[in-house]
Amino acid sequence: MSAAVIAAISTPCAPGGIGVIRISGPGAIQVADRVFHSASGKTLSQHKGYTAAFGSVWDESGPVDDVVATVFRAPKSYTGEDVAEFSCHGGLLVTRKVLRAVLAAGASPAGPGEFTKRAFLNGKLSLTEAEAVTDVIAASSDQALRAARSAMKGALYRKIKGVTDSLLSVSGHIAAYIDYPEEEIDPVESAETAEILDDAERQLRDLLDSFDRGRILREGVETVIVGKPNVGKSTLMNLLSGCPKSIVTDIPGTTRDVVEETVNLDGVLLRLADTAGIRETSDVVEKAGVDLALERLDTAGLVLAVFDESSPLSPEDHGLLDRLEGMPVVAVCNKADLEQKIDIEFIKSKFQYFVEISARENSGLEALRQEIVSLLELDGISAEGAALANARQFDCARRAWTLLKEAIDTLKAGYTLDAVDVALESVISALLELTGEKVTDAVVDQVFSRFCVGK
Ligand code: GDP
């Protein structure tokens, strides 16, 4: 059964300069022709792929808007199918009216992510590349965008494919050796096989290890600013939120309903609890000295512990120092513009990550960023490298890695090659599920349900 022609508004549901209505499927260009009156008189069906035509879209009551129609011919389109796109004026009503005309002409409304799903089903994208499309759209920092683009260009797919291919060659060799004893197939050397499997295991482990750091790049790190009253927490907070390189967005918390301010510190996203939350924290500090908002600290991926350089360490500071033991802390000695009275060497001896700043004079922010990058180990990971981007991919990779460890143990324990091969097949199957080459419809539906309509 051939796919239906689907259509949707691909631009945001908000007024803008241009609105795009995308139509895809076998017959999409004919559907477009039913509503398109070209200025030149040439129908879209007479156009080659990658061409555009000016004209207007009409519905049953007359012209709706002037549009530029773009024609893409299968398989050279986003979906791999015939595609026509109308670029009209970006008003809410006008885009809807154009869509309505297209639906009346025979298209069905596209579901969330249905264009990208078709691209996946038509082999234009692997599942990981398709998933990266949503990450490109959601990216709110340069790093996140670079990482998503790199995934969209297939970095993860190629990495997984490399591992899968090497495992397939081992598995194929074992199967051939077992199944065709009469043929002159090279015996399977355990040491050589173990080396290939160990290498694959290492690659998967690296990917799993980098997942958390990749997530920090994409989603930011939950950050808490603590310190006794008057050390400059609010000033620092304001400086961070107001720094010229920062974009401040409202992202509803994923686990709870807190609105967070995401500060982009030159590519490093810090998810700071909203100012009210921070004030609340400092209230608690005020009331109970160093009795910090512990539940926030417990879940924080980064703590900025602020001290006032211009006064000696107080009992409250010492209490804070004790409390922060073992936490991911950057010690921030503020008010570096004033005479230093704090025992700076003592602070340095307590924290691996340390920086002196003057929040008031806006100095030391780059050094602070550097310390944060070091603490979060963001240095080593390149946004261009292959990285797991979501829980589904992580789950497949972890399953593959666990099964591969079992296969290696089976091999090294001297079990029959049959047993090794069975284990390897499960590993390969988990990896094919990751890239989407062997995946259930339910998983595919789940992946694309996260998309917006029109993508
Ligand atoms: P909080 O109670 O920790 O939030 O501290 P605030 O941010 O409200 O700052 C307390 C006082 O310290 C204010 O008067 C700030 O202007 C001042 N302050 C903050 N940062 C600096 C700094 O870097 N240098 C100097 N000299 N004063 C600062």
Side-chain angles (χ1 to χ4, degrees), residues 5 21-25 27-58 65-74 82-87 98 102 105:
V5 175
I21 290 81
R22 180 183 274 167
I23 313 163
S24 179
I29 296 163
Q30 288 74 12
V31 168
D33 260 335
R34 284 181 211 136
V35 298
F36 181 68
H37 291 211
S38 118
S40 69
K42 191 172 157 188
T43 64
L44 297 177
S45 301
Q46 293 168 308
H47 276 73
K48 290 195 184 125
Y50 297 142
T51 56
F54 179 69
S56 53
V57 163
W58 287 54
D65 195 16
D66 288 348
V67 302
V68 172
T70 324
V71 174
F72 303 86
R73 295 217 172 250
D82 278 351
V83 169
E85 286 180 0
F86 290 131
S87 301
V98 171
V102 170

Side-chain angles (χ1 to χ4, degrees), residues 57-336:
V57 163
W58 287 54
D59 64 12
E60 69 288 347
S61 49
V64 178
D65 195 16
D66 288 348
V67 302
V68 172
T70 324
V71 174
F72 303 86
R73 295 217 172 250
K76 294 184 175 176
S77 72
Y78 182 67
T79 56
E81 304 172 326
D82 278 351
V83 169
E85 286 180 0
F86 290 131
S87 301
C88 62
H89 292 97
L92 286 174
L93 179 64
V94 71
T95 48
R96 277 184 204 158
K97 278 178 78 93
V98 171
L99 175 64
R100 234 176 277 146
V102 170
L103 297 180
S108 312
E114 199 169 349
F115 295 109
T116 312
K117 183 175 173 180
R118 288 189 175 195
F120 164 67
L121 294 174
N122 290 327
K124 299 289 285 188
L125 296 167
S126 70
L127 198 57
T128 50
E129 288 160 356
E131 284 172 309
V133 172
T134 44
D135 294 336
V136 165
I137 294 171
S140 57
S141 73
D142 286 346
Q143 292 262 39
L145 180 57
R146 272 208 299 277
R149 276 191 55 77
S150 139
M152 198 174 69
K153 297 286 163 208
L156 177 62
Y157 175 71
R158 282 191 296 277
K159 175 109 187 170
I160 297 294
K161 188 159 169 21
V163 173
T164 313
D165 285 350
S166 69
L167 297 180
L168 276 170
S169 74
V170 171
S171 170
H173 188 181
I174 292 177
Y177 183 68
I178 296 170
D179 294 345
Y180 303 101
E182 67 285 0
E183 302 287 326
E184 287 187 2
I185 291 169
D186 289 341
V188 176
E189 299 289 349
S190 282
E192 202 177 289
T193 307
E195 207 173 297
I196 299 174
L197 300 190
D198 280 339
D199 180 59
E201 187 270 334
R202 225 178 355 260
Q203 293 198 52
L204 288 181
R205 185 158 27 96
D206 284 350
L207 267 182
L208 291 170
D209 284 348
S210 65
F211 180 62
D212 279 340
R213 284 176 284 156
R215 189 157 52 184
I216 288 173
L217 278 188
R218 286 186 307 281
E219 298 171 16
V221 59
E222 191 151 334
T223 306
V224 176
I225 302 179
V226 290
K228 67 179 180 189
N230 274 321
V231 290
K233 296 182 298 298
S234 309
T235 314
L236 174 60
M237 173 83 186
N238 291 342
L239 181 65
L240 288 172
S241 348
C243 71
K245 282 173 185 159
S246 77
I247 44 157
V248 179
T249 49
D250 287 344
I251 298 179
T254 41
T255 48
R256 62 214 148 89
D257 240 357
V258 173
V259 174
E260 286 166 335
E261 204 167 15
T262 301
V263 169
N264 182 346
L265 190 56
D266 202 8
V268 180
L269 290 183
L270 307 182
R271 291 209 329 254
L272 293 155
D274 64 349
T275 321
I278 291 292
R279 295 237 167 84
E280 220 173 83
T281 309
S282 65
D283 268 0
V284 176
V285 174
E286 254 170 69
K287 276 195 236 103
V290 288
D291 187 14
L292 306 159
L294 281 175
E295 73 282 16
R296 268 196 204 289
L297 273 184
D298 284 345
T299 55
L302 171 67
V303 179
L304 302 180
V306 186
F307 300 93
D308 179 350
E309 269 199 26
S310 67
S311 61
L313 283 171
S314 66
E316 281 167 298
D317 288 320
H318 281 288
L320 179 60
L321 286 166
D322 292 342
R323 188 77 92 182
L324 293 175
E325 199 138 340
M327 292 189 178
V329 180
V330 174
V332 181
C333 285
N334 187 32
K335 309 197 187 180

